[in-house]
Amino acid sequence: MPKTVIPVAPARRGLAIPALSRDPSSGPLADTRGRGLRDLRISVTDRCNFRCTYCMPRDVFDENHEFLPHAELLTFEEIVRVARVFRGHGIAKIRLTGGEPLLRRGIEDLVAMLSQALPDVDLTLTTNGSALKQKARALYASGLRRVTVSLDSLDDATFRAMNDADFPVAKVLEAIDVAAAEGLAPVKINMVVKRGTNDHQVVDMARRFRGSGHIVRFIEFMDVGATNGWKMDDVLPSAEVVRRIGETFPCEPVNPNHFGEVARRWRYKDGGGEFGIISSVTQAFCSSCNRARLSTDGSLYTCLFAPEGYDLKSIIRGGGSDEDLSRAIAAVWQRREDRYSEIRTAETARLRKVEMSFIGG
Ligand code: SAM
Ligand code: SF4
Ligand code: SF4
């Protein structure tokens, strides 16, 4: 039987950039719901050596899957240029992601370029940890000070099944230790919790990292993309995560570090540190969402669940000035209305959306 082809990347060259609805074209921006622009996530590659079942299921991202040709990727110089223009609009934080960002050749050079160009921006990176042991020292030397490592289970069999690349958990745990020893501490650890798959690991993860200084963030399984077979029944609500942890380790909520912080903070009452919950499904935080995403091929996405992005690369490669770029970003942001998680239903979950590995988590 012929295989169904599911579109992974947008089929055409993105949405047209709208006209500026109001000035200024630089400086802080507000969208239609008054939300600012604080956080920029940059996907540096759409490739990954893992096939996490909730992100890049192997039957879709198989040997026939066509990743972007190298010429389509923004170069490091182009990424830095766009980041500078975003800085002009007030972003305070940049996260490098993917795909697996440590697979992008010379990633430490990009870190160095960004940290030199934008020394007052909080620069961080999310990785699956598979190459972090080898790269941690170079990343620190290039100016990276913080890193997030994804880790879905301490149980080796569960971890290997979830990454679907037979990658052992011991190597990720070792990478976390090495990263911390190189100066990237405290490490944030992302665990996507999928009911019936790894939810039995929640308390073990809490136990393992309590007292280490590292912070585990328990993330609700989301309907990103259109290929991961998401069902509401597979979501373990964060409230249940907190209840289960609290049964063993009494805990209490902590005030956010800043407005719009995605993870809600909890701390152990005995002083064992803190953990976070990211409740994108059961407690939507669209009303404070101040994140923009730049895809591997230079499109601007204003929501993780958008079907398409706005093509900035044509401006960059078509001879546009920084002013043109700045106006385009302003025009897009000023018209932004996104609130997907507030209106999610079983039907919306089936709509075409960009894959997370393409725009970055
Ligand atoms: N490859 C890197 C990694 O895994 O850390 C960076 C990219 S990955 C897309 C970024 C984050 O998104 C990871 O922490 C991953 O667990 C999370 N993620 C991916 N698919 C998800 C889903 N369906 N629901 C919730 N989080 C997801
Ligand atoms: Fe790769 Fe990260 Fe997606 Fe897993 S979550 S498949 S490691 S991009
Ligand atoms: Fe932001 Fe879209 Fe997520 Fe809402 S659904 S929090 S608008 S990325």
Side-chain angles (χ1 to χ4, degrees):
M1 201 169 71
K3 200 173 148 193
T4 319
V5 178
I6 301 172
V8 170
R12 59 187 175 84
R13 286 288 318 140
L15 301 166
I17 308 273
L20 257 188
S21 59
R22 53 188 184 275
D23 275 333
S25 61
S26 68
L29 298 170
D31 70 8
T32 58
R33 302 178 74 195
R35 298 169 295 190
L37 174 54
R38 180 180 187 278
D39 189 333
L40 176 64
R41 294 169 184 222
I42 304 175
S43 174
V44 294
T45 177
D46 58 336
R47 290 166 196 261
C48 188
N49 54 334
F50 284 12
R51 287 291 178 274
C52 301
T53 50
Y54 52 74
C55 178
M56 294 180 81
R58 194 172 278 284
D59 57 342
V60 177
F61 294 85
D62 61 8
E63 63 283 2
N64 298 319
H65 176 72
E66 288 185 22
F67 291 99
L68 286 170
H70 197 261
E72 292 293 319
L73 273 57
L74 289 190
T75 65
F76 290 172
E77 287 73 18
E78 289 169 336
I79 290 174
V80 174
R81 180 177 168 204
V82 181
R84 272 186 205 273
V85 174
F86 269 96
R87 177 69 187 134
H89 286 302
I91 57 142
K93 180 173 170 187
I94 292 179
R95 178 175 297 279
L96 299 178
T97 174
E100 174 45 42
L102 300 190
L103 291 187
R104 178 85 186 252
R105 193 173 307 148
I107 183 72
E108 53 276 32
D109 300 333
L110 176 62
V111 168
M113 289 163 73
L114 283 170
S115 51
Q116 276 159 29
L118 303 168
D120 51 349
V121 167
D122 178 18
L123 180 63
T124 180
L125 179 149
T126 304
T127 173
N128 63 23
S130 59
L132 185 59
K133 182 183 169 194
Q134 295 77 13
K135 293 267 183 187
R137 181 164 295 179
L139 289 168
Y140 184 85
S142 301
L144 195 72
R145 292 294 173 266
R146 300 199 301 118
V147 72
T148 298
V149 178
S150 301
L151 175 63
D152 295 326
S153 177
L154 294 169
D155 171 61
D156 195 52
T158 308
F159 184 65
R160 286 180 197 249
M162 286 185 84
N163 66 52
D164 202 12
D166 210 24
F167 198 86
V169 71
K171 287 199 172 179
V172 180
L173 291 170
E174 188 187 358
I176 292 170
D177 289 345
V178 170
E182 292 294 348
L184 295 167
V187 176
K188 284 191 179 150
I189 296 159
N190 279 358
M191 173 181 180
V192 176
V193 184
K194 206 174 160 191
R195 194 197 286 273
T197 301
N198 65 340
D199 64 311
H200 62 290
Q201 282 282 295
V202 163
V203 178
D204 286 351
M205 284 283 282
R207 182 180 291 111
R208 165 86 192 208
F209 292 104
R210 260 169 53 83
S212 69
H214 306 320
I215 300 173
V216 184
R217 288 126 45 103
F218 299 91
I219 305 176
E220 289 179 348
F221 171 45
M222 293 186 285
D223 52 329
V224 287
T227 62
N228 70 6
W230 182 89
K231 301 192 297 301
M232 190 64 207
D233 288 351
D234 294 339
V235 177
L236 186 78
S238 294
E240 174 63 11
V241 167
V242 173
R243 193 194 64 72
R244 289 190 194 179
I245 295 174
E247 255 178 20
T248 311
F249 306 113
C251 52
E252 61 195 3
V254 188
N255 286 334
N257 287 312
H258 58 79
F259 179 77
E261 188 171 36
V262 171
R264 275 180 301 131
R265 301 168 61 202
W266 285 76
R267 79 175 150 229
Y268 300 107
K269 286 186 177 169
D270 66 358
E274 55 179 89
F275 64 91
I277 49 169
I278 302 185
S279 327
S280 357
V281 177
T282 60
Q283 286 165 308
F285 37 78
C286 299
S287 61
S288 61
C289 177
N290 49 21
R291 288 176 297 287
R293 292 178 162 85
L294 184 65
S295 70
T296 314
D297 66 345
S299 288
L300 169 60
Y301 286 78
T302 57
C303 179
L304 186 51
F305 299 91
E308 275 173 303
Y310 297 87
D311 177 18
L312 296 184
K313 190 170 65 185
S314 295
I315 302 177
I316 300 168
R317 296 199 178 163
S321 65
D322 285 359
E323 170 68 14
D324 294 331
L325 261 180
S326 181
R327 292 176 76 83
I329 292 165
V332 169
W333 198 263
Q334 286 169 350
R335 287 170 196 269
R336 175 182 188 243
E337 295 177 340
D338 306 303
R339 52 190 285 263
Y340 177 84
S341 288
E342 291 178 351
I343 55 172
R344 170 186 289 108
T345 62
E347 280 69 45
T348 63
R350 282 196 291 272
L351 293 176
R352 186 171 74 86
K353 303 180 226 91
V354 66
E355 293 297 320
M356 196 160 182
S357 54
F358 192 74
I359 57 166

